[in-house]
Amino acid sequence: MKPTKVIRTVPIVAIRGSVVFPHTDTILSFGRPKSVAAVNAAFSEDRIIAIFSQRDPNVVDPAIEDLSEFGTIAVISQMMSSETEIHAVVKGQARIKLGEGLAHEPYLIGKVAEVAEEEFEGAGIEALSKQLVELFRKAVNLGKGVEITTVMRIVSGGIDPIELVDSVANLLDIKTNEKQELLEEVSVEKRLKKVIEYLTHEVNVLDLERTISMKTQKKLENQMRKAMLLEKKRAIEEELDDDTGAAAGNEIDEYSSKIKKAKMPKEVHEKAVKELKRLQQLPPSNPEGAYIRNYLDWLVDMPWSISSEGAVSIKHAEKILEEDHYAIDKAKQRILEFLAVMKLKKKSKESQPTILCFIGPPGVGKTSIGKSIARALGREFVRVSLGGIRDEAEIRGHRRTYVGALPGRIIQGIKNAGTKNPVFMLDEIDKVGSDFRGDPASALLEALDPEQNKEFSDHYLEVPFDLSQVMFIATGNVLENIPHALRDRMEVIRFPGYTEQEKFHIAEKFLWPKQMKMHGISGKKIKISDEALKDVIEGYTREAGVRSLERNLANVCRKVARIIAEGKKYPHLLKVSNIQKFLGVQRFSSLIAEKKDEVGMATGLSVTAVGGEILFIEVSLMPGKGHLILTGQLGSVMKESAKAAFTWTRSHWKELGLKEDFGSTTDVHIHVPEGAVPKDGPSAGVSISTALISALTGIPVKRKVGMTGEITLRGRVLEIGGVKEKVIAGHRAGLKIIILPKDNKKDVEDVPNEVKKEIKFVFASELEDVLKVAMKGWPPATTQPKRNRPSAAFIATA
Ligand code: ADP
C-alpha cells in the first residue's frame, strides 16, 4: 500500500510536555487563549484539530515555526470548560506533518498532510506484536498503572499492529522528546522494536522495584516482628521482675540475718554489709550478682567467732595418746610437753608456742597422732595436703577478679573445720615448691607465724582472718626438704619408724581390731595367731610404718567377710596357712639371708623419704686409666664420698698391698642398685670405701655386717644422722653387726631394746676400725698374693 497524502487546513493547537498518539484517547487541558480559541473553533465545526507539541516548552505564544514537524490529527469527542481553562477528550486519528502556516490570530491555522504508515507485512511484525503484548502483560502484572479497559483492549489480541504500537507507546513511561521520536517514526517495524526496547527497560525497572520492595517489605516485617517480640519480652520481664524482686528481697533479708549471726569483727561486718548493698542494687539478670553471692557465702560461713572450748588437761591428753597409739614414747612425751607449755602460755595470754612438725616415713602414725591431739584438746581436726603446691594462690587464694576465684587452702580448711581454733594439719610440707607464680612457702610462713597470723590476709577474702588460735601441725617425710625459714619456726618431732616387734603390737592391739570392725566382722571374735601376724609383717611388707601392714590386714578381713557372707565355715583362729591362702605367695624374704660373703660388695644403711633402708654397694674393677664410674642414681654428695674413698685407697696402696700405679691402670665402677630411687647423703662413705677396698684386695666382706658413716680423705669416720631409723632397717633386713661412727654412740640409746638385744654395735673412728670388723680377714697379706684374689695384676709385688 502506497502512502496517500491528504492535505487539509485545520485549527492547530500547541501542547507542552506531552505527545498525542493516533489510536488513543487523551484528555487535554488548555489554558492559553489561542489554544482555547482553536479548540472552541474546532469543536463548533467538524471537531477536527491538529495537535503538535512545542519544540521549546518555555515559549508562551508559539508560532507555527515553534512546533514539532510531526503531530497528530484528532477528533474532539468531549469538551468541558471552566472559567480559566477547557478540558477536552481527544481521539488521535493519524500522524500528520505540518505544512505551511495560514494564520496566527486568533489561533493558529495551517495546512497539514497526513503521513501514511509505511507498508508492512510478514511474520516479523506479527512476532514483534506478540512480544509487545506479552511484555505489556508482564508490565501490568508487575504493577504498571493502566486502566483496565485499555489493558483488555491491548491484550485481547484483536488489535492491529499500528494501533497496538501507538497505544502502548502512549502508555510508556518515557520523556516527551522520546515520545515525539516515536511519533515521527514512520516505519511500523522500527516503531515496534523501539517500543519493545522501552517497555523491556520499564519491565526490568518494575521487576527490580518489586524485588526491592519485597525485600524491604520483608525487612520491615522482620523489624516489626523483632520490635513486637522485644516489647513482649519487656512486658514479661516486668511481670517477672515483680516476682523476682520479691524473691531478691527475701534473699537480701536472709543474708542480712546470716551476717548478723556470723558475729564478724567490725571491719568484716562493714565489708559484708557493703557487698550486700551492692547485690541489692544490681538488676537480677546481672551476672555480677553470682560473684557477690559466692563471696557473701564465704564471709558468712567463716567461723569468725566460733571456737571449741576445751580445757587442756595434760593427764587427759596423755590418756588419749596412750589409748590411740602404741610405742612412739618420745614423740608422745614431746607432744605432752608442748601441750603443757601451750596451757601455761594461754594462762599468761602470751602468743601460742611454735608450730609442731612431725617428720617421718609414711604410715608411722603422724596423722593419727594429730587426730588424737585434737581429741585430747576437744578441738576440730582438719587436714590439708600441700604436696605439689607451687602457686602462692593455693595458700592465699585468688583475687576476686579471677573467674572461678576461691580462697586459699588455709581459709578453706578453717571453713571446713567450722571453728577458729581447730588442730590444722598441713601434710607434705616438705613437698611445697616455688616457681614464677610466687612462693607458697612465704605465704605459709605468714600463716604459721604467731606474730603475723592474727591478721592473715587471703586474696579472695580481702578481710583479715585471725589464725592465732589455730594449732598448726606440719608433717613431712624429709626434714631437709623443708624451706629453711619454715624449719626455723617449727619444733620438729621425729617418727623414726617401727621395729618388727612394735609393728606386731600395733597390729595386734590396734590395726586388727580396727579392720575387723570396718569390715563388719568384729562380732565374730576371729583371732589371728602370733605366727600368722608375724608372717604378714615379715613376708608381705617391707616398710618403716604400718600402712602396708594395715592394707594387708584389711585384705585378710575382706576375704574372711566373704566366707562369712557366703554362709561357709570360717576359721576362728587364723593361722599361717590361712594367711598364705588369703594373701598369696610371700612377697619378701630376708634380704641378707639370700646373700653370701662377697668380694666388692658392702651393706650400707641410709634414710630415705620412706624411712630407713639398707643399700648394697657393688664395686667392679677393669683395666683402664683410673676413671671412676658411678651409677644407680647417686646424688652429688654420694659421688663425692666415692671420690674421697678412691683417693684414700690410692694414698694407702702400700698398706692395702696394691701396686703403686694401680690408680692409673684401673677403672673403678661403683654401683648402688635398688632401681631408680635417687640416693644421696654422705653416710654411705664407709660402705663405699669398704666395697672398694674389698674389690681391690680381693678380701670378701661379711654379709651380716652393715655400716654407716661419713669418711674424710684421711680415713676418719664422722658422725651421721638417722641412727635409729637405720638400725631398725638393718635389724629388719637381718643384719647382726652394725658399724657406727664413734660420735653416734649416744644415739644407740634411742634404739628399741628388742633391737639392741639382737644387734652387736661396733663404733669406729677410723676406716681401719671398720675394715677390721667388716672384712673376712684383715689386714691383707701384703707380701703373698692370696688365692682368691680376683686379679694378681692389681696386687703389689714389692
Ligand atoms: P602417717 O600420717 O604417718 O602417714 P598414719 O597416721 O596415716 O600415718 O598411720 C597409718 C595407720 O597406722 C593409721 O591407721 C594409724 O592409726 C596406724 N598407726 C600408726 N602408728 C600407730 C601406733 N603407734 N599405734 C597405733 N596405730 C598406729
Side-chain angles (χ1 to χ4, degrees):
M1 198 171 73
K2 270 221 151 176
T4 45
K5 265 193 171 182
V6 184
I7 298 176
R8 314 176 51 148
T9 301
V10 281
I12 294 172
V13 70
I15 58 173
R16 302 186 269 199
S18 75
V19 172
V20 173
F21 281 94
H23 318 294
T24 61
D25 288 355
T26 315
I27 299 169
L28 294 172
S29 300
F30 303 99
R32 288 182 288 187
K34 269 189 187 160
S35 305
V36 172
V39 172
N40 275 333
F43 195 68
S44 57
E45 285 184 23
D46 56 1
R47 299 192 175 187
I48 302 277
I49 193 161
I51 302 166
F52 287 90
S53 61
Q54 276 175 226
R55 289 180 202 273
D56 179 359
N58 297 321
V59 179
V60 179
D61 183 14
I64 292 291
E65 305 76 51
D66 293 321
L67 303 179
S68 302
E69 197 186 354
F70 281 75
T72 304
I73 190 141
V75 175
I76 303 167
S77 62
Q78 265 184 326
M79 207 180 76
M80 201 182 81
S81 50
S82 70
E83 268 178 30
T84 51
E85 15 172 63
I86 54 172
H87 308 282
V89 179
V90 299
K91 279 180 181 295
Q93 302 294 312
R95 284 177 167 70
I96 49 174
K97 213 173 170 182
L98 190 57
E100 111 196 63
L102 300 175
H104 191 255
E105 295 292 341
Y107 49 86
L108 294 174
I109 301 173
K111 283 191 173 163
V112 295
E114 210 172 304
V115 182
E117 301 288 349
E118 227 173 52
E119 273 187 48
F120 68 92
E121 263 170 18
I125 297 290
E126 205 181 319
L128 286 171
S129 305
K130 269 194 177 156
Q131 191 185 347
L132 182 58
V133 171
E134 271 319 300
L135 257 179
F136 180 75
R137 202 196 295 272
K138 204 167 174 184
V140 172
N141 282 337
L142 285 171
K144 183 169 173 65
V146 185
E147 262 182 39
I148 184 72
T149 47
T150 317
V151 175
M152 296 309 291
R153 193 165 60 85
I154 292 173
V155 302
S156 63
I159 163 174
D160 81 84
I162 297 174
E163 196 182 335
L164 170 72
V165 71
D166 282 342
S167 300
V168 176
N170 186 41
L171 296 166
L172 284 176
D173 189 12
I174 53 178
K175 290 185 193 135
T176 309
N177 63 336
E178 287 169 335
K179 279 195 173 175
Q180 184 65 34
E181 276 170 22
L182 283 176
L183 187 67
E184 290 177 8
E185 180 54 67
V186 287
S187 156
V188 177
E189 188 180 346
K190 281 187 189 160
R191 211 151 70 219
L192 264 169
K193 283 183 179 165
K194 264 201 164 153
V195 170
I196 285 173
E197 197 179 304
Y198 282 131
L199 193 57
T200 306
H201 175 72
E202 209 171 300
V203 164
N204 286 342
V205 171
L206 282 169
D207 202 14
L208 201 68
E209 269 178 8
R210 191 173 157 128
T211 34
I212 290 172
S213 78
M214 264 164 63
K215 272 190 191 158
T216 36
Q217 178 76 13
K218 252 199 180 139
K219 217 170 169 182
L220 268 174
E221 277 174 8
N222 269 341
Q223 280 174 354
M224 289 263 291
R225 224 176 111 238
K226 261 191 195 158
M228 270 172 58
L229 286 174
L230 274 174
E231 195 49 46
K232 269 190 193 165
K233 187 177 162 216
R234 212 167 293 142
I236 291 170
E237 273 178 0
E238 269 174 26
E239 282 291 316
L240 280 177
D241 269 5
D242 281 352
D243 293 347
T244 48
N250 284 341
E251 186 189 32
I252 301 290
D253 290 347
E254 250 171 55
Y255 273 123
S256 267
S257 76
K258 277 186 189 168
I259 290 172
K260 242 180 245 157
K261 270 192 209 142
K263 296 211 184 98
M264 303 164 172
K266 191 165 163 265
E267 183 189 347
V268 184
H269 187 267
E270 278 165 13
K271 175 89 182 169
V273 170
K274 203 171 126 201
E275 289 293 322
L276 188 59
K277 249 195 203 135
R278 225 154 65 82
L279 181 65
Q280 200 169 10
Q281 281 160 5
L282 280 183
S285 49
N286 193 321
E288 176 95 354
Y291 297 124
I292 301 180
R293 263 177 227 117
N294 200 16
Y295 178 68
L296 280 172
D297 285 339
W298 273 99
L299 280 192
V300 299
D301 284 349
M302 288 303 290
W304 299 101
S305 48
I306 307 171
S307 47
S308 6
E309 239 357 287
V312 185
S313 145
I314 304 300
K315 270 236 137 39
H316 176 63
E318 188 175 2
K319 195 176 143 241
I320 285 181
L321 288 185
E322 286 300 333
E323 232 169 66
D324 294 351
H325 296 92
Y326 179 82
I328 41 173
D329 293 333
K330 212 167 174 182
K332 285 183 201 159
Q333 290 312 317
R334 290 281 294 278
I335 290 166
L336 291 173
E337 286 159 21
F338 181 88
L339 296 181
V341 174
M342 197 167 107
K343 186 176 176 177
L344 294 179
K345 282 208 171 179
K346 201 174 176 195
K347 268 192 193 152
S348 65
K349 295 266 183 280
E350 274 182 61
S351 63
Q352 299 283 309
T354 39
I355 292 106
L356 281 178
C357 177
F358 297 166
I359 294 292
V364 289
K366 302 185 293 299
T367 311
S368 69
I369 277 265
K371 283 184 190 161
S372 297
I373 293 176
R375 195 156 82 89
L377 298 178
R379 297 198 193 184
E380 295 297 322
F381 178 80
V382 269
R383 186 171 157 218
V384 164
S385 176
L386 304 177
I389 286 187
R390 303 193 159 273
D391 190 349
E392 191 198 347
E394 295 269 6
I395 304 289
R396 212 196 268 286
H398 285 284
R399 294 192 190 280
R400 273 210 284 157
T401 43
Y402 283 87
V403 174
L406 275 181
R409 296 200 190 183
I410 304 269
I411 291 297
Q412 289 189 24
I414 297 287
K415 184 187 158 188
N416 287 342
T419 59
K420 59 186 288 196
N421 63 345
V423 172
F424 198 126
M425 187 163 262
L426 298 160
D427 266 348
E428 302 196 303
I429 198 158
D430 55 338
K431 303 210 176 60
V432 172
S434 76
D435 63 10
F436 62 94
R437 283 164 293 190
D439 184 2
S442 67
L444 263 181
L445 254 182
E446 195 192 311
L448 299 181
D449 186 353
E451 303 291 322
Q452 293 183 55
N453 69 8
K454 241 182 143 37
E455 301 222 313
F456 176 71
S457 65
D458 182 278
H459 290 322
Y460 181 85
L461 223 51
E462 288 174 3
V463 284
F465 190 89
D466 179 5
L467 295 178
S468 62
Q469 309 292 309
V470 179
M471 177 174 178
F472 284 106
I473 300 176
T475 79
N477 300 133
V478 181
L479 182 65
E480 289 67 31
N481 293 350
I482 302 177
H484 267 282
L486 272 174
R487 228 192 289 171
D488 288 350
R489 302 279 147 91
M490 300 191 293
E491 184 168 340
V492 175
I493 298 181
R494 284 189 183 269
F495 286 65
Y498 300 118
T499 62
E500 310 287 284
Q501 194 83 30
E502 285 170 337
K503 284 187 196 174
F504 179 84
H505 287 296
I506 292 172
E508 191 187 30
K509 289 209 180 78
F510 298 91
L511 305 181
W512 180 250
K514 183 168 143 196
Q515 288 306 325
M516 285 216 295
K517 201 167 164 197
M518 278 177 75
H519 289 83
I521 54 173
S522 49
K524 305 285 177 198
K525 301 262 181 300
I526 300 168
K527 285 213 166 104
I528 182 162
S529 74
D530 292 359
E531 292 71 35
L533 199 48
K534 274 188 192 140
D535 192 44
V536 179
I537 295 169
E538 282 164 19
Y540 297 88
T541 68
R542 176 158 297 158
E543 57 177 350
V546 290
R547 207 171 265 183
S548 162
L549 173 57
E550 189 170 21
R551 254 200 312 271
N552 275 297
L553 292 179
N555 198 354
V556 172
C557 287
R558 267 201 307 278
K559 300 272 169 22
V560 174
R562 184 171 165 188
I563 296 174
I564 294 173
E566 283 173 352
K568 293 184 190 156
K569 234 180 117 204
Y570 61 92
H572 288 266
L573 178 70
L574 296 174
K575 299 200 190 104
V576 175
S577 58
N578 299 115
I579 294 299
Q580 291 187 349
K581 202 170 133 211
F582 291 150
L583 299 182
V585 188
Q586 278 201 2
R587 263 179 264 163
F588 302 105
S589 53
S590 170
L591 276 174
I592 295 299
E594 287 169 11
K595 309 277 180 206
K596 298 195 300 264
D597 297 344
E598 266 186 74
V599 170
M601 193 170 99
T603 309
L605 300 167
S606 74
V607 181
T608 67
V610 290
E613 294 265 23
I614 63 165
L615 303 173
F616 296 110
I617 289 161
E618 300 174 354
V619 176
S620 188
L621 305 176
M622 304 149 284
K625 291 188 173 151
H627 293 305
L628 189 59
I629 305 157
L630 299 154
T631 51
Q633 293 245 14
L634 310 186
S636 55
V637 180
M638 210 152 165
K639 284 182 182 166
E640 281 163 17
S641 299
K643 282 180 190 158
F646 192 37
T647 305
W648 187 88
T649 55
R650 288 177 76 169
S651 58
H652 291 77
W653 60 275
K654 220 175 209 167
E655 295 103 287
L656 296 175
L658 305 174
K659 273 188 183 171
E660 186 175 1
D661 65 346
F662 85 92
S664 51
T665 56
T666 312
D667 278 353
V668 176
H669 185 169
I670 300 177
H671 180 63
V672 186
E674 280 292 322
V677 190
K679 308 158 192 91
D680 202 5
S683 67
V686 289
S687 39
I688 292 176
S689 307
T690 306
L692 178 61
I693 292 164
S694 161
L696 289 169
T697 58
I699 305 175
V701 184
K702 292 181 197 155
R703 71 183 162 123
K704 298 226 162 151
V705 177
M707 61 203 83
T708 178
E710 187 176 349
I711 187 101
T712 69
L713 274 182
R714 300 186 184 279
R716 288 202 44 231
V717 178
L718 301 185
E719 183 179 1
I720 42 81
V723 169
K724 184 175 174 188
E725 290 92 327
K726 288 175 178 175
V727 170
I728 292 174
H731 175 253
R732 195 186 313 137
L735 294 178
K736 295 291 171 218
I737 299 174
I738 290 180
I739 305 171
L740 295 173
K742 204 169 184 185
D743 293 341
N744 282 108
K745 202 168 181 177
K746 59 185 187 313
D747 299 317
V748 175
E749 249 176 61
D750 296 342
V751 177
N753 283 334
E754 73 245 32
V755 175
K756 268 195 262 185
K757 267 192 279 172
E758 294 177 14
I759 296 270
K760 185 178 168 214
F761 293 98
V762 174
F763 300 99
S765 52
E766 300 288 333
L767 191 54
E768 275 284 318
D769 305 336
V770 177
L771 298 172
K772 263 187 236 163
V773 178
M775 305 294 256
K776 231 177 158 185
W778 194 261
T782 50
T783 45
Q784 270 187 346
K786 281 196 178 171
R787 262 224 203 128
N788 59 352
R789 295 196 183 175
S791 161
F794 305 127
I795 312 297
T797 46

